[in-house]
Amino acid sequence: SKQPFLVHTSKTNIQVLGTSFNVNTYEDGLIKTSLVEGRVKTFSLDGDSTLLRPGFEAYYDDLKKEFQVKPFDKEYVLSWIEGSYLFNKVPLENLTGTLERWFGVEVVSINKKVIGKTLVSGIIEKGKLKEFLENLNASTGIKYTLKNNILDFTAN
């Protein structure tokens, strides 16, 4: 708190005022700032701002040019710190970035309209891509091939 600093993202800045927080910029057009403890003030490049309380996160939507603040589940938002990614009812296509970053694969899908929109829940653990893919197949019927770091999802 005696040495505040700024964190800059492409669309927002976050003033850190002695705290524990998380910033997620992986979804296009959406920046999430989640406050665990302390205080942060996040503001957009056009001057909109919000001060967060612990247990809340600010979503900045680049299309709407506004912040929305709501409570967050610490277990889900911060699970990546422990080497896992928890998700609940997320479209499969929203997980492709995590799979690419964590496992160094390129994800392609034959039918994004069907497969990409399939809602999935579960956990991805670092170093356990095969286990995740087998669980995905067992729970949804979505088949996959993994060859030369190309992950291809196909319909059943």
Side-chain angles (χ1 to χ4, degrees):
S1 63
K2 294 178 183 174
Q3 293 184 321
F5 61 94
L6 292 174
V7 175
H8 301 282
T9 71
S10 63
K11 303 291 179 189
T12 66
N13 295 307
I14 301 136
Q15 184 179 16
V16 181
L17 307 166
T19 190
S20 176
F21 68 102
N22 185 67
V23 178
N24 181 322
T25 62
Y26 289 124
E27 291 180 55
D28 284 339
L30 187 64
I31 298 168
K32 299 177 196 174
T33 305
S34 309
L35 182 60
V36 178
E37 62 183 50
R39 293 187 333 166
V40 296
K41 182 177 184 180
T42 182
F43 48 97
S44 66
L45 300 181
D46 62 3
D48 192 16
S49 68
T50 188
L51 183 64
L52 288 176
R53 298 184 327 224
F56 286 81
E57 66 185 351
Y59 286 72
Y60 180 76
D61 185 326
D62 192 33
L63 293 176
K64 295 179 182 176
K65 304 285 188 219
E66 67 181 15
F67 287 102
Q68 293 180 5
V69 176
K70 62 182 183 179
F72 72 97
D73 186 329
K74 206 161 77 165
E75 183 179 18
Y76 280 86
V77 172
L78 303 177
S79 64
W80 67 270
I81 294 170
E82 302 297 324
S84 62
Y85 179 72
L86 299 172
F87 51 95
N88 186 31
K89 297 180 184 174
V90 173
L92 180 57
E93 71 181 333
N94 289 11
L95 296 177
T96 59
T98 300
L99 295 172
E100 290 175 339
R101 284 188 307 278
W102 282 24
F103 301 106
V105 297
E106 179 184 349
V107 178
V108 295
S109 178
I110 290 176
N111 186 343
K112 276 191 153 185
K113 285 186 177 182
V114 175
I115 296 170
K117 303 295 183 204
T118 300
L119 298 179
V120 293
S121 299
I123 184 170
I124 300 170
E125 295 182 76
K126 284 196 173 181
K128 296 186 178 182
L129 176 60
K130 188 86 166 162
E131 183 178 298
F132 166 73
L133 294 171
E134 289 171 358
N135 289 337
L136 179 68
N137 175 256
S139 64
T140 66
I142 292 175
K143 296 183 182 191
Y144 67 91
T145 57
L146 179 60
K147 185 175 180 181
N148 298 325
N149 290 333
I150 303 290
L151 178 55
D152 185 7
F153 290 110
T154 56
N156 196 10

